[in-house]
Amino acid sequence: QKEVEQDPGPLSVPEGAIVSLNCTYSNSAFQYFMWYRQYSRKGPELLMYTYSSGNKEDGRFTAQVDKSSKYISLFIRDSQPSDSATYLCAFGAQKLVFGQGTRLTINP
Amino acid sequence: DGGITQSPKYLFRKEGQNVTLSCEQNLNHDAMYWYRQDPGQGLRLIYYSQIVNDFQKGDIAEGYSVSREKKESFPLTVTSAQKNPTAFYLCASSMILSWVGEAFFGQGTRLTVV
């Protein structure tokens, strides 16, 4: 079983839609939960991170963690064409483990 | 402006050649990392360094080598022993060794074997 599972997509939605991106994990030792955004041919940039179950909000972005189900989500409200990118979940313990990334396109 | 600079942006390697990827940071960070990114596989850790003159193998170190002679520099050599080197290589740094996502990434080097 993979430590992290992330649907690679691609996911295409119209501008203004609510986007839901998800990852599941199997390693109970993971203590930190992160979302990165990566534009084409660029390095990833950290969007959000949290270490507890529940929701964390930052502008149009909400990160949700459910440790009991080993499931994390990223919600994007009022999606914009500039949100088009690959989104990677990542998990921290004794190392950083990344999901494979979901390619997202927001259509004007 | 502070940041991480990777060079070159694109690199072509012939079979059997060693190539070196450059990574320089002016953030005064102690920790530096090298990741490899392949389609459908996310990022995988090759090597990391906590301080000057010290580095540790990551999950896929075979066929790679690094050095950390200066705080600001962490070059990666892809040797001929690496059988499938075509990939996107990312360098990152953080103030201290951290697995909580506080690392800043460079813009990457795309290596292609020809």
Side-chain angles (χ1 to χ4, degrees):
Chain A
Q1 183 184 9
K2 281 186 178 180
E3 275 190 301
V4 176
E5 298 274 3
Q6 182 176 10
D7 186 342
L11 182 62
S12 182
V13 301
E15 183 176 355
I18 296 175
V19 176
S20 172
L21 304 168
N22 310 296
C23 287
T24 58
Y25 64 97
S26 60
N27 190 343
S28 299
F30 288 150
Q31 301 172 6
Y32 302 96
F33 309 91
M34 290 145 278
W35 286 96
Y36 282 83
R37 177 175 61 197
Q38 185 177 22
Y39 291 112
S40 182
R41 297 187 179 86
K42 302 289 187 185
E45 56 179 336
L46 181 65
L47 264 182
M48 299 184 73
Y49 90 89
T50 184
Y51 55 86
S52 58
S53 282
N55 293 350
K56 181 176 181 179
E57 195 172 312
D58 184 2
R60 297 184 295 109
F61 297 89
T62 299
Q64 184 177 78
V65 174
D66 184 344
K67 286 187 180 180
S68 61
S69 300
K70 294 190 175 65
Y71 187 87
I72 70 169
S73 298
L74 178 71
F75 298 97
I76 307 174
R77 292 187 300 280
D78 188 24
S79 55
Q80 305 294 312
S82 58
D83 295 328
S84 298
T86 295
Y87 289 80
L88 300 130
C89 58
F91 300 83
Q94 283 72 43
K95 60 180 180 179
L96 204 54
V97 179
F98 285 86
Q100 61 189 98
T102 299
R103 191 172 168 187
L104 173 66
T105 301
I106 310 297
N107 301 303
Chain B
D1 284 339
I4 301 175
T5 302
Q6 287 187 245
S7 61
K9 194 171 181 178
Y10 299 97
L11 186 57
F12 297 90
R13 190 193 97 166
K14 292 182 180 179
E15 294 278 356
Q17 272 186 339
N18 292 353
V19 290
T20 298
L21 284 58
S22 171
C23 178
E24 303 276 333
Q25 54 97 359
N26 60 4
L27 299 165
N28 199 33
H29 285 171
D30 281 316
M32 297 187 75
Y33 317 76
W34 274 105
Y35 287 90
R36 169 179 171 144
Q37 187 173 28
D38 295 280
Q41 295 198 45
L43 278 69
R44 292 181 291 167
L45 183 64
I46 305 172
Y47 268 98
Y48 63 97
S49 168
Q50 191 168 356
I51 55 172
V52 173
N53 293 322
D54 181 68
F55 47 83
Q56 305 295 327
K57 292 183 179 180
D59 297 319
I60 55 166
E62 186 175 350
Y64 300 97
S65 66
V66 294
S67 63
R68 186 87 189 274
E69 297 176 2
K70 297 186 296 182
K71 185 176 183 177
E72 57 270 22
S73 179
F74 191 39
L76 173 74
T77 296
V78 184
T79 75
S80 58
Q82 171 49 241
K83 298 306 177 189
N84 185 23
T86 295
F88 190 48
Y89 290 87
L90 288 157
C91 179
S93 73
S94 60
M95 194 170 297
I96 59 172
L97 188 68
S98 169
W99 307 115
V100 299
E102 294 167 332
F104 293 89
F105 283 85
Q107 296 301 288
T109 292
R110 187 165 297 277
L111 173 63
T112 304
V113 173
V114 296

Short mmCIF file of all heavy atoms in Angstrom, two decimals, chain B residues 15-74:
data_model
loop_
_atom_site.label_atom_id
_atom_site.label_comp_id
_atom_site.label_asym_id
_atom_site.label_seq_id
_atom_site.Cartn_x
_atom_site.Cartn_y
_atom_site.Cartn_z
N GLU B 15 24.53 9.34 -22.82
CA GLU B 15 24.68 8.10 -22.06
C GLU B 15 26.12 7.98 -21.54
O GLU B 15 27.07 8.26 -22.26
CB GLU B 15 24.40 6.89 -22.98
CG GLU B 15 22.96 6.81 -23.46
CD GLU B 15 22.04 6.19 -22.45
OE1 GLU B 15 22.52 5.74 -21.40
OE2 GLU B 15 20.83 6.16 -22.71
N GLY B 16 26.27 7.61 -20.28
CA GLY B 16 27.59 7.38 -19.71
C GLY B 16 28.29 8.61 -19.17
O GLY B 16 29.40 8.52 -18.65
N GLN B 17 27.66 9.76 -19.28
CA GLN B 17 28.28 10.99 -18.80
C GLN B 17 27.80 11.32 -17.38
O GLN B 17 26.66 11.03 -17.02
CB GLN B 17 27.88 12.17 -19.70
CG GLN B 17 28.75 12.40 -20.88
CD GLN B 17 28.35 13.67 -21.61
OE1 GLN B 17 27.24 14.17 -21.49
NE2 GLN B 17 29.29 14.20 -22.39
N ASN B 18 28.69 11.95 -16.63
CA ASN B 18 28.29 12.56 -15.36
C ASN B 18 27.91 14.02 -15.64
O ASN B 18 28.55 14.67 -16.47
CB ASN B 18 29.43 12.54 -14.36
CG ASN B 18 29.79 11.15 -13.89
OD1 ASN B 18 29.10 10.18 -14.21
ND2 ASN B 18 30.86 11.05 -13.14
N VAL B 19 26.90 14.50 -14.95
CA VAL B 19 26.55 15.91 -15.05
C VAL B 19 26.30 16.46 -13.66
O VAL B 19 25.87 15.73 -12.77
CB VAL B 19 25.31 16.16 -15.93
CG1 VAL B 19 25.61 15.88 -17.38
CG2 VAL B 19 24.12 15.36 -15.44
N THR B 20 26.58 17.75 -13.49
CA THR B 20 26.38 18.38 -12.19
C THR B 20 25.35 19.50 -12.29
O THR B 20 25.46 20.37 -13.17
CB THR B 20 27.71 18.94 -11.65
OG1 THR B 20 28.62 17.84 -11.46
CG2 THR B 20 27.49 19.63 -10.32
N LEU B 21 24.39 19.46 -11.38
CA LEU B 21 23.34 20.47 -11.30
C LEU B 21 23.70 21.42 -10.16
O LEU B 21 24.04 20.98 -9.06
CB LEU B 21 21.98 19.83 -11.03
CG LEU B 21 21.26 19.13 -12.18
CD1 LEU B 21 22.10 18.00 -12.80
CD2 LEU B 21 19.91 18.60 -11.72
N SER B 22 23.57 22.69 -10.45
CA SER B 22 23.95 23.70 -9.46
C SER B 22 22.75 24.16 -8.64
O SER B 22 21.64 24.28 -9.17
CB SER B 22 24.58 24.89 -10.17
OG SER B 22 24.77 25.96 -9.26
N CYS B 23 22.98 24.41 -7.35
CA CYS B 23 21.96 24.97 -6.47
C CYS B 23 22.65 25.95 -5.51
O CYS B 23 23.55 25.54 -4.77
CB CYS B 23 21.23 23.89 -5.69
SG CYS B 23 19.98 24.55 -4.55
N GLU B 24 22.23 27.21 -5.56
CA GLU B 24 22.80 28.24 -4.69
C GLU B 24 21.66 28.96 -3.99
O GLU B 24 20.64 29.27 -4.61
CB GLU B 24 23.58 29.26 -5.53
CG GLU B 24 24.69 28.67 -6.37
CD GLU B 24 25.97 28.50 -5.60
OE1 GLU B 24 26.19 29.25 -4.64
OE2 GLU B 24 26.76 27.58 -5.96
N GLN B 25 21.86 29.24 -2.69
CA GLN B 25 20.85 30.00 -1.96
C GLN B 25 21.51 31.13 -1.18
O GLN B 25 22.62 30.97 -0.67
CB GLN B 25 20.03 29.08 -1.02
CG GLN B 25 20.84 28.24 -0.06
CD GLN B 25 20.98 28.79 1.33
OE1 GLN B 25 20.48 29.88 1.65
NE2 GLN B 25 21.65 28.04 2.20
N ASN B 26 20.81 32.25 -1.11
CA ASN B 26 21.32 33.39 -0.34
C ASN B 26 20.36 33.75 0.80
O ASN B 26 20.24 34.92 1.18
CB ASN B 26 21.56 34.60 -1.27
CG ASN B 26 20.30 35.06 -1.97
OD1 ASN B 26 19.21 34.54 -1.72
ND2 ASN B 26 20.43 36.02 -2.85
N LEU B 27 19.71 32.72 1.31
CA LEU B 27 18.75 32.89 2.40
C LEU B 27 19.39 32.65 3.76
O LEU B 27 18.71 32.72 4.79
CB LEU B 27 17.57 31.93 2.19
CG LEU B 27 16.78 32.15 0.90
CD1 LEU B 27 15.88 30.95 0.61
CD2 LEU B 27 15.96 33.42 0.98
N ASN B 28 20.66 32.29 3.76
CA ASN B 28 21.38 31.95 4.99
C ASN B 28 20.77 30.73 5.69
O ASN B 28 20.79 30.61 6.92
CB ASN B 28 21.42 33.14 5.97
CG ASN B 28 22.52 32.98 7.00
OD1 ASN B 28 23.59 32.42 6.72
ND2 ASN B 28 22.29 33.46 8.20
N HIS B 29 20.22 29.81 4.87
CA HIS B 29 19.63 28.60 5.41
C HIS B 29 20.69 27.54 5.66
O HIS B 29 21.63 27.38 4.87
CB HIS B 29 18.58 28.04 4.44
CG HIS B 29 17.31 28.82 4.44
ND1 HIS B 29 16.32 28.59 3.50
CD2 HIS B 29 16.85 29.79 5.25
CE1 HIS B 29 15.30 29.40 3.75
NE2 HIS B 29 15.61 30.14 4.81
N ASP B 30 20.52 26.80 6.76
CA ASP B 30 21.47 25.73 7.06
C ASP B 30 21.15 24.46 6.28
O ASP B 30 22.04 23.73 5.87
CB ASP B 30 21.43 25.40 8.56
CG ASP B 30 22.21 26.42 9.38
OD1 ASP B 30 23.33 26.77 8.96
OD2 ASP B 30 21.71 26.86 10.41
N ALA B 31 19.87 24.16 6.11
CA ALA B 31 19.48 22.88 5.51
C ALA B 31 19.18 23.03 4.02
O ALA B 31 18.58 24.02 3.59
CB ALA B 31 18.26 22.32 6.22
N MET B 32 19.62 22.05 3.25
CA MET B 32 19.33 22.02 1.81
C MET B 32 18.96 20.61 1.39
O MET B 32 19.37 19.64 2.04
CB MET B 32 20.53 22.54 1.02
CG MET B 32 20.86 24.01 1.33
SD MET B 32 22.14 24.71 0.28
CE MET B 32 21.24 24.96 -1.26
N TYR B 33 18.18 20.53 0.32
CA TYR B 33 17.61 19.25 -0.11
C TYR B 33 17.62 19.15 -1.63
O TYR B 33 17.53 20.15 -2.33
CB TYR B 33 16.14 19.13 0.32
CG TYR B 33 15.82 19.60 1.72
CD1 TYR B 33 15.74 20.96 2.03
CD2 TYR B 33 15.56 18.69 2.74
CE1 TYR B 33 15.43 21.40 3.30
CE2 TYR B 33 15.24 19.12 4.03
CZ TYR B 33 15.18 20.48 4.30
OH TYR B 33 14.87 20.90 5.57
N TRP B 34 17.69 17.92 -2.14
CA TRP B 34 17.47 17.65 -3.55
C TRP B 34 16.34 16.65 -3.69
O TRP B 34 16.33 15.60 -3.03
CB TRP B 34 18.73 17.07 -4.20
CG TRP B 34 19.69 18.10 -4.68
CD1 TRP B 34 20.88 18.45 -4.12
CD2 TRP B 34 19.56 18.90 -5.86
NE1 TRP B 34 21.48 19.43 -4.87
CE2 TRP B 34 20.69 19.72 -5.94
CE3 TRP B 34 18.58 19.01 -6.87
CZ2 TRP B 34 20.91 20.64 -6.97
CZ3 TRP B 34 18.79 19.92 -7.89
CH2 TRP B 34 19.93 20.72 -7.93
N TYR B 35 15.40 17.01 -4.58
CA TYR B 35 14.29 16.13 -4.90
C TYR B 35 14.28 15.84 -6.40
O TYR B 35 14.73 16.66 -7.21
CB TYR B 35 12.95 16.78 -4.56
CG TYR B 35 12.64 16.87 -3.09
CD1 TYR B 35 13.03 17.97 -2.34
CD2 TYR B 35 11.95 15.85 -2.45
CE1 TYR B 35 12.74 18.05 -0.99
CE2 TYR B 35 11.65 15.93 -1.09
CZ TYR B 35 12.05 17.03 -0.37
OH TYR B 35 11.75 17.11 0.97
N ARG B 36 13.71 14.72 -6.73
CA ARG B 36 13.48 14.36 -8.13
C ARG B 36 11.97 14.25 -8.33
O ARG B 36 11.26 13.69 -7.48
CB ARG B 36 14.14 13.01 -8.42
CG ARG B 36 13.77 12.40 -9.75
CD ARG B 36 14.49 11.10 -9.98
NE ARG B 36 13.93 10.46 -11.17
CZ ARG B 36 14.64 9.76 -12.05
NH1 ARG B 36 15.95 9.60 -11.86
NH2 ARG B 36 14.06 9.23 -13.10
N GLN B 37 11.48 14.79 -9.46
CA GLN B 37 10.05 14.74 -9.76
C GLN B 37 9.85 14.07 -11.10
O GLN B 37 10.37 14.51 -12.12
CB GLN B 37 9.45 16.15 -9.77
CG GLN B 37 7.93 16.15 -9.90
CD GLN B 37 7.34 17.55 -9.74
OE1 GLN B 37 7.98 18.54 -10.04
NE2 GLN B 37 6.09 17.61 -9.26
N ASP B 38 9.08 12.99 -11.08
CA ASP B 38 8.70 12.28 -12.30
C ASP B 38 7.19 12.34 -12.45
O ASP B 38 6.46 12.38 -11.44
CB ASP B 38 9.11 10.80 -12.22
CG ASP B 38 10.61 10.63 -12.18
OD1 ASP B 38 11.22 10.70 -13.26
OD2 ASP B 38 11.16 10.45 -11.08
N PRO B 39 6.70 12.32 -13.68
CA PRO B 39 5.25 12.35 -13.88
C PRO B 39 4.56 11.20 -13.15
O PRO B 39 5.01 10.06 -13.24
CB PRO B 39 5.10 12.21 -15.40
CG PRO B 39 6.40 12.68 -15.95
CD PRO B 39 7.44 12.31 -14.95
N GLY B 40 3.53 11.51 -12.40
CA GLY B 40 2.76 10.48 -11.72
C GLY B 40 3.40 9.95 -10.45
O GLY B 40 2.88 9.00 -9.86
N GLN B 41 4.52 10.52 -10.02
CA GLN B 41 5.19 9.99 -8.82
C GLN B 41 5.47 11.04 -7.77
O GLN B 41 6.08 10.73 -6.78
CB GLN B 41 6.50 9.30 -9.21
CG GLN B 41 6.30 8.08 -10.06
CD GLN B 41 7.52 7.16 -10.06
OE1 GLN B 41 8.11 6.90 -9.03
NE2 GLN B 41 7.90 6.70 -11.23
N GLY B 42 5.09 12.27 -7.96
CA GLY B 42 5.36 13.27 -6.95
C GLY B 42 6.86 13.53 -6.80
O GLY B 42 7.66 13.22 -7.67
N LEU B 43 7.23 14.10 -5.67
CA LEU B 43 8.63 14.42 -5.41
C LEU B 43 9.24 13.33 -4.52
O LEU B 43 8.63 12.90 -3.55
CB LEU B 43 8.75 15.76 -4.67
CG LEU B 43 8.71 17.04 -5.49
CD1 LEU B 43 7.34 17.27 -6.08
CD2 LEU B 43 9.15 18.22 -4.65
N ARG B 44 10.46 12.94 -4.87
CA ARG B 44 11.17 11.94 -4.06
C ARG B 44 12.51 12.51 -3.63
O ARG B 44 13.23 13.12 -4.42
CB ARG B 44 11.34 10.64 -4.85
CG ARG B 44 10.02 9.92 -5.11
CD ARG B 44 10.24 8.63 -5.87
NE ARG B 44 10.65 8.88 -7.25
CZ ARG B 44 11.15 7.93 -8.05
NH1 ARG B 44 11.31 6.71 -7.60
NH2 ARG B 44 11.46 8.23 -9.28
N LEU B 45 12.89 12.28 -2.38
CA LEU B 45 14.08 12.87 -1.79
C LEU B 45 15.33 12.10 -2.20
O LEU B 45 15.41 10.88 -2.01
CB LEU B 45 13.94 12.87 -0.27
CG LEU B 45 15.06 13.51 0.53
CD1 LEU B 45 15.16 15.00 0.22
CD2 LEU B 45 14.83 13.29 2.01
N ILE B 46 16.32 12.82 -2.73
CA ILE B 46 17.57 12.21 -3.16
C ILE B 46 18.62 12.31 -2.06
O ILE B 46 19.16 11.31 -1.59
CB ILE B 46 18.10 12.87 -4.44
CG1 ILE B 46 17.04 12.85 -5.56
CG2 ILE B 46 19.37 12.16 -4.92
CD1 ILE B 46 17.44 13.66 -6.79
N TYR B 47 18.94 13.52 -1.67
CA TYR B 47 19.91 13.79 -0.60
C TYR B 47 19.45 15.02 0.16
O TYR B 47 18.72 15.85 -0.36
CB TYR B 47 21.29 14.08 -1.19
CG TYR B 47 22.21 12.90 -1.35
CD1 TYR B 47 22.34 12.26 -2.59
CD2 TYR B 47 22.97 12.43 -0.29
CE1 TYR B 47 23.20 11.18 -2.75
CE2 TYR B 47 23.84 11.35 -0.45
CZ TYR B 47 23.94 10.73 -1.68
OH TYR B 47 24.79 9.66 -1.84
N TYR B 48 19.92 15.14 1.41
CA TYR B 48 19.70 16.36 2.15
C TYR B 48 20.92 16.65 3.03
O TYR B 48 21.71 15.74 3.34
CB TYR B 48 18.42 16.32 2.98
CG TYR B 48 18.38 15.26 4.06
CD1 TYR B 48 18.68 15.57 5.38
CD2 TYR B 48 17.97 13.96 3.76
CE1 TYR B 48 18.61 14.60 6.37
CE2 TYR B 48 17.90 12.98 4.74
CZ TYR B 48 18.22 13.31 6.03
OH TYR B 48 18.15 12.35 7.02
N SER B 49 21.05 17.90 3.40
CA SER B 49 22.20 18.33 4.20
C SER B 49 21.71 19.26 5.30
O SER B 49 20.98 20.22 5.03
CB SER B 49 23.21 19.05 3.30
OG SER B 49 24.19 19.71 4.08
N GLN B 50 22.15 18.97 6.50
CA GLN B 50 21.72 19.77 7.65
C GLN B 50 22.68 20.92 7.91
O GLN B 50 22.27 21.99 8.38
CB GLN B 50 21.61 18.86 8.88
CG GLN B 50 20.94 19.47 10.06
CD GLN B 50 20.61 18.42 11.11
OE1 GLN B 50 20.83 17.23 10.91
NE2 GLN B 50 20.08 18.87 12.24
N ILE B 51 23.98 20.66 7.66
CA ILE B 51 25.00 21.69 7.88
C ILE B 51 26.12 21.48 6.87
O ILE B 51 26.17 20.44 6.19
CB ILE B 51 25.59 21.64 9.31
CG1 ILE B 51 26.13 20.23 9.60
CG2 ILE B 51 24.57 22.05 10.36
CD1 ILE B 51 26.89 20.13 10.90
N VAL B 52 27.01 22.42 6.82
CA VAL B 52 28.16 22.32 5.92
C VAL B 52 28.98 21.07 6.23
O VAL B 52 29.11 20.68 7.40
CB VAL B 52 29.03 23.59 6.04
CG1 VAL B 52 30.32 23.45 5.25
CG2 VAL B 52 28.27 24.81 5.60
N ASN B 53 29.45 20.43 5.17
CA ASN B 53 30.30 19.24 5.27
C ASN B 53 29.57 18.02 5.82
O ASN B 53 30.21 17.06 6.27
CB ASN B 53 31.57 19.50 6.10
CG ASN B 53 32.50 20.48 5.41
OD1 ASN B 53 32.64 20.45 4.18
ND2 ASN B 53 33.12 21.35 6.19
N ASP B 54 28.26 18.06 5.79
CA ASP B 54 27.47 16.90 6.23
C ASP B 54 26.29 16.73 5.32
O ASP B 54 25.62 17.70 4.95
CB ASP B 54 26.99 17.09 7.67
CG ASP B 54 26.19 15.89 8.15
OD1 ASP B 54 26.78 14.79 8.31
OD2 ASP B 54 24.96 16.03 8.32
N PHE B 55 26.00 15.49 4.90
CA PHE B 55 24.81 15.23 4.09
C PHE B 55 24.37 13.78 4.30
O PHE B 55 25.17 12.93 4.72
CB PHE B 55 25.05 15.52 2.61
CG PHE B 55 26.33 14.95 2.04
CD1 PHE B 55 26.39 13.64 1.61
CD2 PHE B 55 27.46 15.75 1.92
CE1 PHE B 55 27.56 13.12 1.08
CE2 PHE B 55 28.63 15.23 1.39
CZ PHE B 55 28.68 13.91 0.97
N GLN B 56 23.11 13.55 4.04
CA GLN B 56 22.51 12.25 4.27
C GLN B 56 21.77 11.77 3.02
O GLN B 56 21.20 12.59 2.28
CB GLN B 56 21.50 12.31 5.43
CG GLN B 56 22.06 12.86 6.72
CD GLN B 56 23.13 11.97 7.32
OE1 GLN B 56 23.06 10.74 7.19
NE2 GLN B 56 24.11 12.59 7.98
N LYS B 57 21.76 10.46 2.83
CA LYS B 57 20.99 9.90 1.71
C LYS B 57 19.49 9.99 2.00
O LYS B 57 19.04 9.81 3.12
CB LYS B 57 21.37 8.43 1.51
CG LYS B 57 22.78 8.23 1.01
CD LYS B 57 23.06 6.74 0.78
CE LYS B 57 24.47 6.53 0.25
NZ LYS B 57 24.75 5.10 0.01
N GLY B 58 18.77 10.26 0.91
CA GLY B 58 17.32 10.19 0.98
C GLY B 58 16.84 8.84 0.50
O GLY B 58 17.52 7.83 0.63
N ASP B 59 15.66 8.83 -0.10
CA ASP B 59 15.04 7.57 -0.50
C ASP B 59 15.61 6.98 -1.80
O ASP B 59 15.51 5.78 -2.02
CB ASP B 59 13.53 7.77 -0.67
CG ASP B 59 12.86 8.18 0.63
OD1 ASP B 59 13.23 7.61 1.68
OD2 ASP B 59 11.99 9.06 0.60
N ILE B 60 16.18 7.84 -2.65
CA ILE B 60 16.61 7.35 -3.97
C ILE B 60 18.00 7.88 -4.29
O ILE B 60 18.26 8.42 -5.35
CB ILE B 60 15.60 7.76 -5.08
CG1 ILE B 60 15.37 9.27 -5.09
CG2 ILE B 60 14.28 7.04 -4.90
CD1 ILE B 60 14.66 9.76 -6.36
N ALA B 61 18.98 7.67 -3.39
CA ALA B 61 20.31 8.25 -3.55
C ALA B 61 21.20 7.51 -4.55
O ALA B 61 22.20 8.06 -5.02
CB ALA B 61 21.00 8.28 -2.20
N GLU B 62 20.85 6.30 -4.90
CA GLU B 62 21.72 5.50 -5.79
C GLU B 62 21.90 6.19 -7.14
O GLU B 62 20.92 6.56 -7.80
CB GLU B 62 21.14 4.11 -5.99
CG GLU B 62 22.07 3.18 -6.77
CD GLU B 62 21.54 1.77 -6.85
OE1 GLU B 62 20.56 1.45 -6.16
OE2 GLU B 62 22.10 0.98 -7.64
N GLY B 63 23.18 6.33 -7.55
CA GLY B 63 23.46 6.95 -8.83
C GLY B 63 23.65 8.46 -8.74
O GLY B 63 23.85 9.12 -9.76
N TYR B 64 23.56 9.01 -7.53
CA TYR B 64 23.73 10.44 -7.32
C TYR B 64 24.81 10.69 -6.28
O TYR B 64 25.07 9.85 -5.44
CB TYR B 64 22.42 11.07 -6.80
CG TYR B 64 21.23 10.94 -7.73
CD1 TYR B 64 20.30 9.92 -7.54
CD2 TYR B 64 21.03 11.84 -8.77
CE1 TYR B 64 19.21 9.80 -8.38
CE2 TYR B 64 19.94 11.72 -9.62
CZ TYR B 64 19.03 10.70 -9.41
OH TYR B 64 17.94 10.58 -10.24
N SER B 65 25.42 11.87 -6.35
CA SER B 65 26.34 12.29 -5.29
C SER B 65 26.18 13.78 -5.07
O SER B 65 25.73 14.51 -5.96
CB SER B 65 27.79 11.94 -5.64
OG SER B 65 28.22 12.69 -6.75
N VAL B 66 26.54 14.23 -3.86
CA VAL B 66 26.42 15.64 -3.52
C VAL B 66 27.66 16.07 -2.74
O VAL B 66 28.44 15.24 -2.28
CB VAL B 66 25.17 15.93 -2.67
CG1 VAL B 66 23.88 15.70 -3.46
CG2 VAL B 66 25.18 15.12 -1.38
N SER B 67 27.80 17.37 -2.57
CA SER B 67 28.81 17.93 -1.69
C SER B 67 28.21 19.16 -1.03
O SER B 67 27.26 19.76 -1.55
CB SER B 67 30.08 18.29 -2.45
OG SER B 67 29.82 19.29 -3.41
N ARG B 68 28.76 19.52 0.13
CA ARG B 68 28.28 20.72 0.83
C ARG B 68 29.51 21.40 1.44
O ARG B 68 29.72 21.38 2.65
CB ARG B 68 27.25 20.36 1.91
CG ARG B 68 26.62 21.58 2.55
CD ARG B 68 25.44 22.06 1.80
NE ARG B 68 24.94 23.33 2.28
CZ ARG B 68 24.09 23.47 3.29
NH1 ARG B 68 23.64 22.42 3.97
NH2 ARG B 68 23.66 24.67 3.64
N GLU B 69 30.29 22.01 0.59
CA GLU B 69 31.51 22.67 1.04
C GLU B 69 31.26 24.09 1.52
O GLU B 69 32.04 24.64 2.29
CB GLU B 69 32.54 22.66 -0.09
CG GLU B 69 32.97 21.25 -0.49
CD GLU B 69 33.93 21.26 -1.67
OE1 GLU B 69 34.29 22.36 -2.16
OE2 GLU B 69 34.33 20.16 -2.12
N LYS B 70 30.18 24.67 1.04
CA LYS B 70 29.81 26.02 1.46
C LYS B 70 28.34 26.01 1.89
O LYS B 70 27.53 25.26 1.33
CB LYS B 70 29.99 27.01 0.32
CG LYS B 70 31.42 27.16 -0.14
CD LYS B 70 31.53 28.28 -1.19
CE LYS B 70 30.77 27.97 -2.44
NZ LYS B 70 30.93 29.03 -3.49
N LYS B 71 27.99 26.87 2.78
CA LYS B 71 26.62 26.93 3.30
C LYS B 71 25.63 27.22 2.19
O LYS B 71 24.52 26.70 2.17
CB LYS B 71 26.52 27.99 4.39
CG LYS B 71 25.18 28.07 5.09
CD LYS B 71 25.25 29.10 6.21
CE LYS B 71 23.95 29.14 6.99
NZ LYS B 71 24.02 30.09 8.12
N GLU B 72 26.02 28.06 1.24
CA GLU B 72 25.07 28.52 0.24
C GLU B 72 24.97 27.62 -0.98
O GLU B 72 24.16 27.86 -1.86
CB GLU B 72 25.44 29.94 -0.20
CG GLU B 72 26.84 30.10 -0.74
CD GLU B 72 27.84 30.45 0.35
OE1 GLU B 72 27.57 30.18 1.54
OE2 GLU B 72 28.90 31.00 0.01
N SER B 73 25.79 26.57 -1.05
CA SER B 73 25.86 25.77 -2.27
C SER B 73 25.69 24.29 -1.99
O SER B 73 26.31 23.75 -1.05
CB SER B 73 27.21 26.03 -2.96
OG SER B 73 27.33 25.26 -4.12
N PHE B 74 24.90 23.61 -2.82
CA PHE B 74 24.66 22.17 -2.63
C PHE B 74 24.51 21.52 -4.01
O PHE B 74 23.42 21.15 -4.44
CB PHE B 74 23.37 22.00 -1.81
CG PHE B 74 23.12 20.59 -1.29
CD1 PHE B 74 24.15 19.80 -0.81
CD2 PHE B 74 21.82 20.08 -1.25
CE1 PHE B 74 23.90 18.53 -0.31
CE2 PHE B 74 21.57 18.81 -0.75
CZ PHE B 74 22.61 18.04 -0.28
#
